[in-house]
Structures are given as structure tokens and as C-alpha cells.
Amino acid sequence: MKNELIKNTVILTVITLISGLLLGTVYEVTKGPIAAEEERAKKAAWKSVFQDAADFEEQEFDAEAGKNILSDAGLTAQDIDSVVAASGSGGESLGFVIGVISHEGYGGDIKLSVGIRNDGTVNGIEILSINETAGLGMRADTDEFKMQFENTQTDQFVYTKTGATADNEIDALSGATITTNAVTNGVNAAIAYFSSLEGGN
């Protein structure tokens, strides 16, 4: 019986070692393509929210200062993820693309890019990562919903369940108020951070 136990232990150890080596190999093989795809998706999002931009340049930013700015604006469930300067074909500054992570989603974090022109106009939004309920919260990633934020100059968006009547009002997604709130606050976080940037309002 003792020999059987040793044999089984050795077999399990070998299986574990092989599994670990295989997982490590798969990770090494896939991490490059995954990183490349994430980079491609990120740059595609920049272009989506700033279609007239010819160049984008990632900026250094202070994440802790960003948290303080958002906290002062009452947005404690959001984080600034990235800041990218957008410029035209002649090198002129057009505005910024602010990357935001909203931690208020029903199904987890929602990652989005928000393009804001130098005059404070929201040029567009693009969702990079979302895992909400199919047919409900996932509708936040439709053009119909996202376009409500476009070409609007405001200090803050609000959502309504009774039909938008003002430029800064967003029609809430039916059955997905939590998702609507998460995305809306994500855009508001980008606006709040933009106001602190040189060239911001």
C-alpha cells in the first residue's frame, strides 16, 4: 500500500509539473499577441473618439492627483487610466482622449475612452471593456447609446428615465440603470479630469 501511495504521489507530481510547464508555455506564446491586440484596440478607440486627429501622444499623469480630482467631483468609483493628447495634421492641439475605468458596472469594471476637445466639448466615447447583462447593460456599447454623449459641452451628464430634454441628459437604458450610471459617471470623470489639464476648461 505504501508503494502504491508513493507511485500515485509521483504520478500526480509529474502531471502537475507538466501542466505547469504547458501553461507557462501557452502564456509566453500568447502574451505577445494579446498585448498587441490590446494596443491595437486602444489606438482604434482613440481614433474613434477623435476621427479628425492625425496623431496621438500618450501623456504622463499623476494617478494619485487624478484620484483627488475625481474625489473632489464626487466620483470616487472611477479611476483615470490614461491621458492622450490628440493633434491635427498640422500639429495643432485638438484636445485629449481620457481613459477611464468605472467600477460601478453591474458585471464588473467598465473601461472607456472619452475624447474631449480643447473647448470642453465631448467629441465621442468608446467602450474598451464591458461585461454587463446581454440584452440589457450590454446595450451601452451600441452607437445609439454612445452617440448621446457626442458633441456636447457640459460640466456633467445626468441620466433620465423619462426622456432626455436637455443636451446634458442621457436616456437611461431600460432595465440597466446601474450600467447607465456607471458609463455616465465614467464620462463625467473624464470631464472632471480634463478640466485640470493645461488647455482644459
Side-chain angles (χ1 to χ4, degrees):
M1 182 154 180
K2 185 178 179 183
N3 288 340
E4 188 70 21
L5 181 63
I6 293 171
K7 178 183 174 183
N8 289 338
T9 302
V10 170
I11 290 170
L12 284 174
T13 302
V14 170
I15 290 171
T16 302
L17 286 171
I18 291 172
S19 298
L21 286 170
L22 287 173
L23 283 173
T25 301
V26 169
Y27 171 74
E28 287 299 323
V29 168
T30 59
K31 74 175 182 178
I34 289 171
E37 177 57 25
E38 287 176 349
E39 186 69 13
R40 185 207 63 77
K42 184 172 67 172
K43 289 181 177 178
W46 299 346
K47 191 65 178 174
S48 177
V49 300
F50 250 115
Q51 294 182 6
D52 57 335
D55 190 39
F56 298 94
E57 184 179 347
E58 292 194 70
Q59 308 289 293
E60 290 187 11
F61 72 100
D62 186 332
E64 195 60 38
K67 279 184 177 293
N68 292 334
I69 290 164
L70 299 190
S71 179
D72 289 345
L75 298 161
T76 56
Q78 285 72 36
D79 287 314
I80 300 303
D81 181 51
S82 60
V83 179
V84 179
S87 56
S89 56
E92 70 280 10
S93 172
L94 299 178
F96 294 90
V97 180
I98 312 293
V100 181
I101 302 173
S102 181
H103 304 293
E104 296 180 300
Y106 183 79
D109 290 349
I110 298 174
K111 231 178 149 175
L112 59 157
S113 292
V114 183
I116 305 179
R117 292 195 172 274
N118 284 331
D119 66 357
T121 299
V122 173
N123 204 51
I125 77 165
E126 192 61 52
I127 293 178
L128 289 169
S129 175
I130 184 169
N131 190 33
E132 301 296 273
T133 305
L136 295 172
M138 286 302 290
R139 286 181 291 141
D141 200 19
T142 61
D143 289 340
E144 181 182 3
F145 180 75
K146 293 183 290 188
M147 284 173 64
Q148 295 184 88
F149 296 94
E150 290 181 7
N151 303 315
T152 303
Q153 189 178 50
T154 181
D155 292 332
Q156 185 180 57
F157 283 98
V158 295
Y159 63 88
T160 175
K161 298 179 181 180
T162 57
T165 57
D167 287 345
N168 73 324
E169 288 186 337
I170 301 300
D171 283 322
L173 294 164
S174 178
T177 305
I178 292 174
T179 307
T180 303
N181 179 69
V183 175
T184 302
N185 282 343
V187 177
N188 286 337
I191 293 170
Y193 189 80
F194 168 81
S195 67
S196 73
L197 297 173
E198 184 179 352
N201 284 345

